[in-house]
Amino acid sequence: MRIMYINNSGGGFADYMNIEEDTSIAKLFKQKMPHEEAANYLIRVNRQPVPQDYILKENDRVTITPTKIDGA
Amino acid sequence: MKKYKTHVRAANMLLEALGELKQEKLQKIKQKLEDFSCKCSDVPKYSRKYNMAISRCWHKAAEKIRSRMSRDLNDFSHQLEQFKNSIDTDQMKLPKLGDVVAELVQIEDELGEIKFDFKARTISIITETIALEGITFGSFEIRLYLYEIKKLTFQSPYKIVALDPNPAGSNCDVTHPHVSDENLCEGDGFIPIRKAIQQGRLSDFFTIIVQILQTYNPDSPYVSLSDWEGTSCYDCGYTVSGDDCYYCEECERDYCSSCSTYCQICDTTVCLGCSYECPSCNKPVCEHCADVCTECNEQLCKDCLNDEGLCNNCQEQRKEQEDEELKEEPTTAAETKPEIQSDSVGQTRISA
C-alpha cells in the first residue's frame, strides 16, 4: 500500500513509500523513528491530527514535524 | 470556493514563484551542462596531439600529454560526479493548485490568520507570544516574499519581524536568540525549510519556523538567554549585567570593569581609551585632570604640576638653575661692577 510520507526533521524527506496493510500511525512512527518519542512530534494524517491507533489507508498523507527544532 | 478566492489567488502566485525557481534550477543545470560539454571537448584535442607525438616518436611529448590527461581525468571524474548529483537532486515537481490551497487552509486552522499582500507578493502569519526560559520576546510576523523564492538556493526568501520587540541588551538587532536583523539562523531546520518551500508545503514551512522560534539552542545563539538583559562592553564585547556595567562619561559608551577605570583626581568613570596614565605618579586620570608642563610640554596629571604648571623635573631644574645663579653672583659682581661705581668709590679725598 502506498502512502505519502513527509518527515520535517533531518533531511526533510518527502516522498511516496510502500507500507504493509493495517499499519497504524503509531507503528509507522516506531518503524521510521525507533529512538524517538511520539510526544515530541506533531503527527498529521491528511492534514489532521489522528489517534495513535489510526490505521493508514492507501494514498494517506502522513506528516511528522518535531515540536523542538534547534536554530543556530 | 468563493470563500477561498484569496487563497486561490495566493496559491497561483506561489505556483508562479515556484515556476521561477524551477526555471532558475533548470538554468543552473544548463550552465553545468555547458561546462561539462566544454570539458569533454578537450578529449579529441588530447587524442590528436597524442597520436601525432606517437607517430613521430616524440616520446617525451607523449609522456607529457599522458600526465596532463591523467590530471585532467581526475578533475573530470569529480566534475562528472558533481554534475550527476546536481541533476539528480535538483528535480522539482510543482504542486497542484488544490494542494497549495489546502496548505493555506491548514495554516489558518493550525496557526491562525494568514495575511496576503498581493501588491508586495507576501504571505505572512503572526505567531503567538514567544517566551523562552522566562524571557518574553513578543510575537513575530513570519513573512514569506514570493518573489524571492527563485533565489532559494542562495538566500532565505522570508523575514522574521518582531512585532513587540524585546531585543538583547547588547545588540538591538537580535530580537530572539536565533534571529538577527530579521533573519532566522535555521540550524537543523535549514533543509526541511527549503524542501517545504520548494514543494509548496507552506503549512510545514510556517510550522517548522514556529517550532524553531519556540526552541532555544544554548549551543549557538546570537545572544544567550543568560546575557539577554545585559549590556555589551563597547571595547571587548563581553556582556555584562547592569551592575557590572560602567559608563564612560567622556565617550558616553558602556564598558565592562576590565575596560574601564576612574579618574583618581575627580572620581569620574572613564574607559581605558579615554583615561590617561600620568607618567610621573602612574595614576589614571581623565583628560580634564591632565595638563601639559609649561616648560617641557609633557602631559601629566594636575597633582604632578605646581601652581605655575611645572612638573617636578622642571621645578627641580629651575631650582638648580636658580641656586647656581645665586652661587655665581659674588664672583661675577666683582668682575662687572667696576663699570658702575657708586659715588666716592675710587676717589681720593683732597683736603681743601
Side-chain angles (χ1 to χ4, degrees):
Chain A
M1 186 174 78
R2 195 176 81 144
I3 59 159
M4 177 68 171
Y5 174 69
I6 300 161
N7 184 348
N8 284 319
S9 59
F13 180 88
D15 210 344
Y16 288 100
M17 61 174 282
N18 287 313
I19 57 163
E20 287 174 14
E21 297 281 333
D22 295 328
T23 302
S24 69
I25 185 70
K27 189 178 172 190
L28 178 76
F29 183 83
K30 198 93 186 153
Q31 280 173 5
K32 290 288 162 192
M33 312 186 84
H35 307 295
E36 303 293 332
E37 288 284 328
N40 296 331
Y41 290 82
L42 299 172
I43 302 169
R44 302 279 183 270
V45 177
N46 302 326
R47 306 181 188 281
Q48 298 295 323
V50 287
Q52 57 174 342
D53 57 357
Y54 174 86
I55 302 296
L56 292 164
K57 296 194 284 284
E58 179 83 25
N59 288 326
D60 270 352
R61 181 184 189 271
V62 177
T63 314
I64 295 176
T65 309
T67 53
K68 301 247 172 249
I69 304 174
D70 280 345
Chain B
M1 200 63 185
K2 210 172 180 183
K3 188 183 164 193
Y4 297 119
K5 203 176 160 187
T6 48
H7 294 66
V8 172
R9 195 176 164 194
N12 270 319
M13 276 175 66
L14 175 70
L15 286 173
E16 197 183 314
L18 290 174
E20 288 170 359
L21 174 64
K22 188 167 187 172
Q23 176 69 8
E24 285 286 318
K25 282 180 177 283
L26 293 174
Q27 284 280 359
K28 218 170 125 190
I29 289 176
K30 183 188 151 206
Q31 183 62 46
K32 283 188 178 169
L33 185 62
E34 279 170 10
D35 293 347
F36 186 70
S37 156
C38 186
K39 204 82 196 160
C40 290
S41 69
D42 287 347
V43 177
K45 277 185 219 165
Y46 279 133
S47 170
R48 193 167 40 81
K49 283 182 183 174
Y50 195 72
N51 285 343
M52 190 190 284
I54 293 291
S55 64
R56 296 184 186 181
C57 291
W58 292 348
H59 293 166
K60 220 168 183 179
E63 284 299 332
K64 210 171 178 181
I65 294 165
R66 193 166 76 163
S67 77
R68 200 177 298 162
M69 277 194 297
S70 166
R71 193 183 61 219
D72 283 5
L73 278 172
N74 281 337
D75 293 349
F76 186 80
S77 62
H78 175 68
Q79 279 174 346
L80 181 67
E81 200 179 332
Q82 273 198 327
F83 182 49
K84 192 179 177 314
N85 277 345
S86 66
I87 284 181
D88 290 347
T89 55
D90 276 1
Q91 282 175 359
M92 190 179 155
K93 197 180 161 196
L94 292 182
K96 291 177 189 152
L97 179 70
D99 289 339
V100 181
V101 174
E103 288 287 328
L104 298 173
V105 174
Q106 189 183 354
I107 293 167
E108 283 186 319
D109 289 347
E110 293 198 350
L111 301 167
E113 198 190 341
I114 189 165
K115 226 169 73 181
F116 304 110
D117 186 337
F118 293 110
K119 206 173 170 187
R121 291 182 72 196
T122 62
I123 297 176
S124 326
I125 64 147
I126 293 171
T127 68
E128 291 176 351
T129 296
I130 304 282
L132 298 168
E133 297 182 14
I135 300 175
T136 305
F137 304 100
S139 53
F140 292 87
E141 181 179 342
I142 304 168
R143 195 184 294 156
L144 175 65
Y145 293 86
L146 298 180
Y147 61 89
E148 296 279 1
I149 286 180
K150 62 183 173 203
K151 299 177 196 161
L152 186 66
T153 326
F154 319 103
Q155 65 185 59
S156 295
Y158 65 93
K159 293 280 179 195
I160 309 294
V161 184
L163 299 179
D164 331 295
N166 170 23
S170 55
N171 186 346
C172 62
D173 291 334
V174 178
T175 52
H176 178 281
H178 303 295
V179 176
S180 175
D181 216 8
E182 301 187 342
N183 294 312
L184 176 70
C185 199
E186 296 150 337
D188 291 346
F190 183 83
I191 294 173
I193 285 173
R194 266 144 196 81
K195 286 206 171 170
I197 294 175
Q198 195 171 304
Q199 293 166 6
R201 290 185 284 112
L202 289 196
S203 169
D204 288 342
F205 160 72
F206 284 114
T207 305
I208 293 166
I209 291 180
V210 169
Q211 307 298 18
I212 295 174
L213 291 174
Q214 287 177 341
T215 308
Y216 174 55
N217 176 9
D219 294 332
S220 55
Y222 283 113
V223 175
S224 67
L225 289 178
S226 56
D227 295 336
W228 198 259
E229 308 291 348
T231 306
S232 175
C233 170
Y234 184 77
D235 197 355
C236 68
Y238 184 71
T239 305
V240 288
S241 66
D243 292 346
D244 297 324
C245 178
Y246 297 89
Y247 180 74
C248 173
E249 293 183 28
E250 296 295 334
C251 64
E252 301 181 337
R253 291 189 175 112
D254 294 309
Y255 293 87
C256 68
S257 57
S258 305
C259 297
S260 60
T261 184
Y262 70 97
C263 171
Q264 294 200 7
I265 295 177
C266 69
D267 285 347
T268 304
T269 303
V270 281
C271 68
L272 296 181
C274 293
S275 72
Y276 179 74
E277 191 181 88
C278 174
S280 174
C281 64
N282 297 328
K283 284 195 296 200
V285 290
C286 69
E287 65 172 21
H288 302 292
C289 295
D291 213 341
V292 288
C293 169
T294 51
E295 194 80 30
C296 64
N297 284 333
E298 189 175 17
Q299 193 172 20
L300 297 152
C301 75
K302 283 183 175 172
D303 283 353
C304 292
L305 295 170
N306 69 2
D307 294 341
E308 294 171 60
L310 287 175
C311 67
N312 288 341
N313 286 344
C314 292
Q315 283 178 61
E316 278 172 24
Q317 274 179 13
R318 186 176 276 192
K319 206 177 168 191
E320 279 171 21
Q321 208 174 334
E322 281 173 358
D323 287 349
E324 269 180 38
E325 279 173 10
L326 281 173
K327 278 180 199 167
E328 284 170 6
E329 251 176 30
T331 53
T332 51
E335 288 166 10
T336 55
K337 273 194 175 161
E339 295 197 5
I340 308 160
Q341 294 176 348
S342 59
D343 291 345
S344 307
V345 176
Q347 290 179 1
T348 310
R349 190 180 284 257
I350 300 164
S351 58

